[in-house]
Amino acid sequence: MASEHSVHQLLQALLDEHLTESGRAFWAKAQGQVADGAQGQTFANLLAMASRHAKRQPLGLTDTELAAAEGARPGWSPRAWNRLELLRINLILARPDLEQASFAEEFEALFRFADEGETCALYRSLPLLPCGERFTWRAAEACRTNMLTVFEAVTLDSPYPVTHFDDTAWHQLVIKALFLDCPLYRVSGLDQRLTPELTRMALDWAEERHSAGRHYHLGLWLCLGPHHPERVRQLLEQHWPEATTSEQRAMLLGAARAGQTQWLASVEPADPKVLPYWQNATAGRSEQAQFAPLFAELPSA
């Protein structure tokens, strides 16, 4: 089981490493106020004032720091956090009342007047809060938003949805992430909850895209589990001849996830850019992480 102590240690180390002198001074003072019981508007003001002492600059975490995060809480990563979010989330986690009912009420109240940056920080804190089941309604609200930054704050690099969402909410989250062309390999737990219904919904989405003459997103091939095999095979056969190099590589991994061994054997590629992915696929190496280099090649990644 993940250690809350190790998470807090990591976040403190990141503060020391990535904040400016002004940011560290503000953190020291604000942390004391929070420990003394700052709540309500006083706490909301601290979250707002943090923007004067930390910028929205990417943390640029090292591989060692990312590995430490995964070790502290599997499925969680602060890879996309900025320095201001780091400061704000540490302020939230510094509260002494995190397990009390009063905190859940105050946490909900913080969303009422939060700007976009504050809202993202609040959602990114969800997997680190105790008794996470208290916030499923709030997390589901983020999945209905039209703001991509807010949607990704709750959807990507967080084990919260896969842990706390029921099947309906989980399926809706993944399909919306697919529709928005989010990097689905960063949806924690997708491998574990790749259900027949989710595959069906992804196949329906693909058919709609094809009928409208629109291209598929790479995330489609992450949603193919060992379900609806005939429909999956037809999709692979239909799209393979016209697929780009990146798509072909993703399709091979997706076919492996779907158990399409016969189709894989029939398409051994000659392209040296595609062949290693075929080799991985035929060897059964098709986990979410295998898709990361493909999404990194996209202009929007």
Side-chain angles (χ1 to χ4, degrees), residues 3-300:
S3 165
E4 289 190 13
H5 178 67
S6 59
V7 170
H8 285 237
Q9 275 191 323
L10 172 63
L11 292 178
Q12 180 61 60
L14 294 180
L15 281 177
D16 294 340
E17 176 68 23
H18 295 283
L19 288 189
T20 63
E21 183 177 347
S22 171
R24 288 192 292 271
F26 172 79
W27 160 246
K29 181 178 180 180
Q31 182 185 27
Q33 292 178 261
V34 173
D36 288 339
Q39 297 182 358
Q41 190 58 49
T42 301
F43 184 77
N45 289 341
L46 289 175
L47 291 182
M49 287 189 295
S51 63
R52 303 178 186 176
H53 304 278
K55 303 298 182 182
R56 295 189 181 186
Q57 297 171 325
L59 293 178
L61 301 182
T62 65
D63 290 342
T64 299
E65 289 169 329
L66 292 172
E70 176 66 22
R73 179 131 318 167
W76 167 68
S77 176
R79 77 174 91 189
W81 290 16
N82 59 51
R83 296 180 183 186
L84 179 53
E85 287 172 334
L86 174 66
L87 179 54
R88 283 172 166 161
I89 292 169
N90 270 280
L91 286 172
I92 295 168
L93 297 180
R95 289 185 59 132
D97 63 339
L98 291 179
E99 297 188 21
Q100 298 174 17
S102 59
F103 171 76
E105 295 171 3
E106 286 214 11
F107 187 74
E108 176 60 32
L110 288 170
F111 285 92
R112 294 175 190 164
F113 302 105
D115 63 18
E116 179 185 356
E118 291 166 354
T119 299
C120 287
L122 290 167
Y123 279 125
R124 291 196 194 281
S125 74
L126 284 177
L128 307 178
L129 297 176
C131 308
E133 65 277 2
R134 297 177 294 175
F135 310 110
T136 50
W137 178 87
R138 169 48 60 187
E141 279 294 289
C143 297
R144 288 187 277 270
T145 183
N146 292 322
M147 299 178 66
L148 181 61
T149 54
V150 173
F151 176 74
E152 289 191 340
V154 76
T155 300
L156 303 182
D157 307 319
S158 169
Y160 187 90
V162 72
T163 302
H164 295 288
F165 280 13
D166 62 19
D167 284 345
T168 298
W170 171 252
H171 295 154
Q172 290 174 346
L173 176 145
V174 175
I175 295 301
K176 183 169 182 176
L178 173 61
F179 178 81
L180 294 175
D181 202 13
C182 297
L184 250 70
Y185 75 94
R186 289 169 52 195
V187 176
S188 299
L190 184 57
D191 283 346
Q192 287 71 49
R193 289 184 71 175
L194 199 51
T195 64
E197 177 65 7
L198 182 55
T199 297
R200 182 198 65 77
M201 293 172 72
L203 290 167
D204 288 350
W205 177 86
E207 289 181 0
E208 292 172 4
R209 300 283 292 189
H210 179 71
S211 297
R214 305 180 69 182
H215 71 281
Y216 303 139
H217 297 157
L218 287 187
L220 168 65
W221 313 107
L222 269 157
C223 297
L224 305 183
H227 320 292
H228 310 287
E230 184 60 25
R231 290 185 68 188
V232 172
R233 183 186 60 79
Q234 290 176 358
L235 175 64
L236 292 166
E237 291 179 348
Q238 167 191 291
H239 190 59
W240 180 259
E242 62 190 39
T244 65
T245 297
S246 291
E247 286 179 315
Q248 286 189 345
R249 291 185 290 187
M251 290 175 70
L252 292 168
L253 297 178
R257 295 164 71 78
Q260 293 284 331
T261 55
Q262 289 187 344
W263 181 84
L264 281 169
S266 72
V267 294
E268 181 175 356
D271 187 338
K273 294 181 180 179
V274 179
L275 182 59
Y277 284 81
W278 180 82
Q279 293 169 335
N280 281 342
T282 54
R285 295 192 296 272
S286 58
E287 302 84 3
Q288 290 177 236
Q290 297 287 330
F291 286 77
L294 303 179
F295 281 91
E297 294 174 356
L298 298 177
S300 59

